[in-house]
Amino acid sequence: FRRVLFRSGIEISDEKGFPAMLEITELLGNEILLHFKVANAAFLARQTSFSLTKHSSGDRVKVLFPPERLYFFDKVSEKVIT
């Protein structure tokens, strides 16, 4: 699996988005690292702790990815695909 990192901006909810499983939640002071899977893709997101107080490891949630924060890279050249 490749892991995709989001620094912030994803939205975790119970109602809308892609179905995901929170595998690990790591509290780091004022931030939380979220390890989750959507289908067969593994993701890592860094969120502020107050934005995720009701979810924990093992929860099934929905994840929204803001399109303006998505960047895609060419596998060979590692350049941004525009």
Side-chain angles (χ1 to χ4, degrees):
F1 292 107
R2 284 206 141 173
R3 193 166 296 273
V4 177
L5 171 66
F6 285 88
R7 295 190 189 239
S8 65
I10 66 164
E11 182 181 329
I12 305 287
S13 91
D14 295 320
E15 300 173 10
K16 57 183 178 177
F18 295 97
M21 168 67 83
L22 281 176
E23 295 184 321
I24 300 170
T25 57
E26 298 180 66
L27 182 58
L28 303 173
N30 67 335
E31 295 180 326
I32 293 179
L33 288 182
L34 306 172
H35 301 258
F36 61 95
K37 281 191 179 172
V38 175
N40 288 329
F43 294 87
L44 173 62
R46 185 173 65 191
Q47 297 288 102
T48 56
S49 60
F50 64 86
S51 68
L52 196 72
T53 55
K54 68 178 187 173
H55 297 292
S56 59
S57 298
D59 286 353
R60 292 189 182 280
V61 296
K62 304 269 177 139
V63 180
L64 286 174
F65 301 98
E68 69 277 3
R69 303 222 24 161
L70 295 177
Y71 298 92
F72 299 93
F73 298 88
D74 182 89
K75 188 175 181 177
V76 176
S77 71
E78 298 183 352
K79 292 184 179 182
V80 175
I81 299 171
T82 56

